[in-house]
Amino acid sequence: LTAPRPRSILAMVRQFEITGRKLPTKDQPVGPIYRMNIFAPNSVVAKSRFNYFLSHLKKVKRSHCEILEVKEYFERKPTLVKNFGINLRYDSRTGTHNMYKEYRDTSLCGAVEQMYCDMAARHRAQRQSIQILSTQVLKSSDVVRASMKQFIDSKIKFPLIHRQIRCPTKQYRSPFKANRPSTLF
């Protein structure tokens, strides 16, 4: 038996590009091909979301749909911090709302995960009620939100508070000390 994975790993969002089409019929032997970018925890959920959106947008039922290709996208530079803008639509208790949000992360999947957590906290919106309309990588000059602008600075510094000096070798370590350590430098 394998150990259960932590819940945070299970909830990670991945980006899939799914290509599908309507099954050919006598009237329409070559059906139109549809392609969507879907954010989901795995490919099974991504295919399900593709069928859900296709049935709503193009009136193609799941039984009349054929999935041609499932591709997973990975970040080209996963160590570089980028600014992301996300256009979304979500259903609240009172109606449907459009929204634009900005996030700072190393990957688009991380920014989408932040968006899901933010929408759940601020608007009580569940993942299945949120539709991501578009995503884009923003230049520093294109950032609009003040909460994002405060981090766009080449000389930004963060204070190192409550630092505890550790003993250089194990022989000098002790669980108890005669005087309290000074953590302010």
Side-chain angles (χ1 to χ4, degrees), residues 45-84:
V45 177
K47 286 186 229 176
S48 174
R49 296 300 287 168
F50 174 78
N51 285 321
Y52 170 80
F53 288 126
L54 203 60
S55 66
H56 280 75
L57 297 171
K58 299 295 179 184
K59 304 295 185 215
V60 178
K61 289 169 66 175
R62 183 182 296 233
S63 58
H64 297 276
C65 176
E66 178 183 28
I67 292 177
L68 302 173
E69 184 182 32
V70 178
K71 274 197 288 192
E72 185 175 356
Y73 280 130
F74 298 98
E75 198 68 35
R76 277 209 182 113
K77 296 180 180 177
T79 56
L80 183 70
V81 178
K82 296 170 276 296
N83 306 313
F84 295 99

Side-chain angles (χ1 to χ4, degrees), residues 12-13 84 103-115:
M12 283 295 291
V13 170
F84 295 99
Y103 297 99
R104 203 166 153 79
D105 206 298
T106 56
S107 69
L108 181 57
C109 294
V112 169
E113 185 68 35
Q114 279 187 53
M115 184 267 306

Side-chain angles (χ1 to χ4, degrees), residues 2-6:
T2 59
R5 293 190 296 177

Side-chain angles (χ1 to χ4, degrees), residues 20-25 28 30-34 54 58-60 64-66:
R21 67 171 182 166
K22 187 176 179 182
L23 284 172
T25 59
Q28 197 177 18
V30 179
I33 294 176
Y34 303 105
L54 203 60
K58 299 295 179 184
K59 304 295 185 215
V60 178
H64 297 276
C65 176
E66 178 183 28

Side-chain angles (χ1 to χ4, degrees), residues 134-148:
S134 67
T135 58
Q136 59 267 8
V137 179
L138 302 173
K139 289 186 278 188
S140 298
S141 59
D142 295 337
V143 172
V144 180
R145 304 285 188 245
S147 60
M148 290 274 296

